Amino acid sequence: MKILKVNTAIAISGGGPQMVEKPRAEWSTEDKKKANLENVAKNILYKTLEKNMFSKIKTCSTTKEIWEKLTQPCEGNDQTKENKLTVAIQMFDNAKMKPGETMAEFDERFNNIVCEIIALGKIYINREIALKVMRALPREWDVKTIAMRESKDLNKL
């Protein structure tokens, strides 16, 4: 981060003031805090990255460069996000409880799918999620799902 000041040595006609980098000796306490934010942000990113990701960003000089390098492979461009969302929605639509799978295992797997969809920008209302879970359960659960549909408000379930 560069701390700038107005260049008083050069008079500019017809334009705004020219900015030059302020020497460290002239920095105020506020300037020092601003300059330190860059270091704090880099430190946070460095500490949270896995070793294989760190090797990809070690040549970056600013936090902004680091962030841009990280977001591209992690998030991808708009087309990548759209493809990820399409796959996640298909997983949601095709979700079924597997034979021998416990309700806790199914719930965890299903919640992971829903969380991924939400992270990619699509929101389902509670009723849609509750109905999908009920449809995903095996036939042995039919009596319970029918009872839930009749007795519960699916928007709150």
Side-chain angles (χ1 to χ4, degrees):
M1 174 179 274
K2 292 182 180 182
I3 305 296
L4 303 175
K5 70 174 185 172
V6 176
N7 187 355
T8 55
I10 299 175
I12 299 177
S13 60
Q18 182 184 5
M19 303 300 283
V20 294
E21 193 167 348
K22 189 188 258 188
R24 273 192 180 274
E26 296 178 18
W27 284 11
S28 66
T29 306
E30 190 65 29
D31 292 336
K32 291 175 185 175
K33 285 181 184 177
K34 285 180 184 176
N36 192 43
L37 287 176
E38 177 80 9
N39 294 329
V40 170
K42 278 185 191 177
N43 192 31
I44 290 169
L45 289 170
Y46 289 159
K47 286 183 176 179
T48 57
L49 290 175
E50 296 176 2
K51 288 180 183 180
N52 64 338
M53 291 298 283
F54 181 77
S55 65
K56 294 177 183 177
I57 55 98
K58 66 183 175 186
T59 59
C60 297
S61 58
T62 66
T63 307
K64 183 170 175 40
E65 285 179 56
I66 293 170
W67 189 254
E68 287 171 354
K69 267 210 171 164
L70 291 174
T71 55
Q72 188 59 35
C74 294
E75 289 183 8
N77 57 25
D78 290 340
Q79 182 64 41
T80 305
K81 288 178 190 175
E82 191 174 314
N83 291 341
K84 286 180 180 179
L85 181 59
T86 301
V87 170
I89 290 171
Q90 287 174 344
M91 289 173 63
F92 177 86
D93 291 341
N94 297 328
K96 294 280 184 197
M97 190 170 181
K98 297 174 183 175
E101 186 175 36
T102 67
M103 188 60 177
E105 292 168 341
F106 171 70
D107 182 55
E108 182 179 346
R109 186 168 57 84
F110 188 78
N111 278 330
N112 287 339
I113 295 169
V114 172
C115 287
E116 185 175 346
I117 290 171
I118 290 170
L120 292 167
K122 177 153 174 60
I123 306 295
Y124 284 110
I125 59 172
N126 285 344
R127 179 179 176 77
E128 291 173 302
I129 294 170
L131 287 170
K132 178 57 192 162
V133 168
M134 287 185 223
R135 286 191 307 268
L137 296 173
R139 286 215 174 273
E140 303 89 64
W141 289 75
D142 282 354
V143 174
K144 293 175 185 169
T145 58
I146 291 169
M148 281 190 279
R149 286 181 189 176
E150 292 177 0
S151 68
K152 301 279 185 185
D153 179 5
L154 295 180
N155 292 320
K156 295 179 182 176
L157 184 64

